Amino acid sequence: MAPEKEQPDPLRPRRDLARRRAGRKWAAALRYDPESDRAPKLTAKGAGVLAEKIIALAREHGIHIHEDPDLAGALSLLEVNTEIPEDLYRAVAEVLAFLYRLNREQGGL
């Protein structure tokens, strides 16, 4: 019987990129309306000063900030105003579920 081939990790290139960029602050903003959107969309992204501006705007508007360097690195590879790819659905779904719970607990949604 032949040994099983190890399945490639589809996110490995993105994780490697995120590790290389680890010294810099990165930020990404997502928008998702389950009634009108097929999938979450990347609405902004940036590094360094731009990342700080994205974060400041989120705070200014009361938007929760979730830190996940691997996810931010993967999102940084996308074009703004595009839907996230299927290989990121699970990671983004976990963040959205957390935010929905947080909003519900705080009397939001």
Side-chain angles (χ1 to χ4, degrees), residues 9-21 69-71 73-74 77 87 91:
D9 178 2
L11 294 179
R12 183 174 180 188
R14 292 180 177 163
R15 287 189 181 114
D16 291 343
L17 179 62
R19 284 187 197 97
R20 286 194 302 267
R21 294 177 171 175
D70 287 338
L71 182 56
L77 299 174
D87 59 343

Side-chain angles (χ1 to χ4, degrees), residues 19-63:
R19 284 187 197 97
R20 286 194 302 267
R21 294 177 171 175
R24 251 180 127 180
K25 180 165 256 178
W26 283 85
L30 298 173
R31 180 184 73 92
Y32 180 60
D33 179 354
E35 293 182 17
S36 63
D37 296 333
R38 202 172 62 90
K41 289 184 180 178
L42 179 69
T43 57
K45 68 176 183 175
V49 173
L50 184 53
E52 294 292 344
K53 287 182 181 181
I54 292 167
I55 292 167
L57 273 171
R59 285 191 176 122
E60 192 176 303
H61 292 280
I63 298 169

Side-chain angles (χ1 to χ4, degrees), residues 60-75:
E60 192 176 303
H61 292 280
I63 298 169
H64 178 78
I65 297 164
H66 177 82
E67 292 189 38
D68 185 333
D70 287 338
L71 182 56
L75 293 171

Side-chain angles (χ1 to χ4, degrees), residues 29 35 89 102:
E35 293 182 17
Y89 279 9
L102 185 66

